[in-house]
Amino acid sequence: FHIGEREEKCIIEDIPSDTLVMGNYKVQRWDIHKREFLESAPGLGIFVTVTTPSADILLSKLYGPQGTFSFTSYLSGEHIICLQSNSTRLVAFAGSKLRIHLDIRVGEHFFDESVVQAKDKVNEVTLRLEHLIEEIRHVSKEQNYEREREEKFRKTSEETNSNILWWAIVQTVILISIGIWQMKSLRDFFISKKLV
């Protein structure tokens, strides 16, 4: 995505609790003379801020023009990941645009193939098995998180349905009461005018 030199861009990620999140990024600056993005942006860095669903700041750190940031969530819900360049130019002179390549991996533990190739077959199988076990744990956490969200949604739906039912009953009682009152008022009016 593209941002201005002094602009902040935020991304919302729905993350289960106790989950590792890793983000790889690369910043490129627009060169006016070459009319293209440069391969790197020397002197520029990225300020990363991560906010939890309860508005606590989980990560707030300045990184270089290319690298990796990581954090572990302790709450389930929507985490806000904000990126902003550390440009010190004044707003009037900071007209350059930046291209940011961002890859966010939620709950993924990277599997280093070079380590596996250096080990014998037994160690390779052991490492692959540990990786699979870690993946199973991650899938289990995801399922538990989705189950919690589904329970909250179901509870909210049932409460809404209950409120709608009671509102319909109250409306019906009010309409019947008004109808009886109008009939009694008309009957009394006709009797007082001696029309009945």
Side-chain angles (χ1 to χ4, degrees):
F1 57 89
H2 295 125
I3 62 171
E5 198 169 334
R6 303 277 299 192
E7 185 182 351
E8 181 179 50
K9 185 78 158 191
C10 294
I11 297 165
I12 298 174
E13 280 289 326
D14 204 0
I15 304 169
S17 63
D18 297 324
T19 302
L20 175 68
V21 178
M22 297 184 76
N24 294 323
Y25 69 91
K26 177 181 175 183
V27 180
Q28 295 177 306
R29 179 182 281 172
W30 177 255
D31 188 352
I32 298 172
H33 305 296
K34 294 181 181 178
R35 296 213 175 273
E36 64 182 19
F37 286 98
L38 300 174
E39 252 330 285
S40 65
L44 268 187
I46 289 290
F47 193 71
V48 179
T49 306
V50 178
T51 309
T52 64
S54 61
D56 296 332
I57 294 179
L58 190 61
L59 173 70
S60 181
K61 190 173 178 183
L62 179 64
Y63 293 91
Q66 183 173 353
T68 302
F69 62 88
S70 64
F71 63 92
T72 303
S73 64
Y74 65 89
L75 279 178
S76 306
E78 293 181 342
H79 288 66
I80 302 172
I81 302 169
C82 294
L83 304 168
Q84 182 178 18
S85 75
N86 68 338
S87 175
T88 56
R89 291 185 182 181
L90 295 173
V91 175
F93 300 110
S96 182
K97 61 181 171 178
L98 304 174
R99 177 187 286 168
I100 298 180
H101 301 270
L102 180 63
D103 180 26
I104 296 178
R105 297 176 187 252
V106 177
E108 186 166 314
H109 299 282
F110 295 104
F111 195 55
D112 191 0
E113 289 291 335
S114 63
V115 172
V116 172
Q117 291 173 356
K119 304 289 182 179
D120 63 354
K121 290 294 183 184
V122 174
N123 286 341
E124 180 181 342
V125 171
T126 304
L127 287 173
R128 288 191 186 274
L129 187 60
E130 288 174 0
H131 179 69
L132 286 175
I133 290 171
E134 196 61 38
E135 288 293 319
I136 290 170
R137 285 189 189 130
H138 173 66
V139 169
S140 176
K141 282 182 191 176
E142 283 283 333
Q143 286 177 336
N144 288 337
Y145 177 60
E146 292 300 325
R147 193 174 298 120
E148 289 172 12
R149 288 183 59 192
E150 193 270 333
E151 285 175 13
K152 283 183 190 176
F153 179 75
R154 187 179 331 117
K155 185 177 179 183
T156 304
S157 297
E158 288 173 358
E159 288 174 0
T160 303
N161 287 340
S162 174
N163 291 340
I164 290 172
L165 175 67
W166 283 109
W167 178 245
I169 291 171
V170 167
Q171 281 183 328
T172 304
V173 168
I174 290 172
L175 286 174
I176 290 172
S177 301
I178 290 173
I180 291 171
W181 177 77
Q182 282 182 338
M183 288 177 64
K184 185 179 180 311
S185 297
L186 280 173
R187 190 176 134 244
D188 291 344
F189 175 75
F190 288 143
I191 290 174
S192 69
K193 294 293 182 182
K194 297 183 182 176
L195 295 173
V196 177

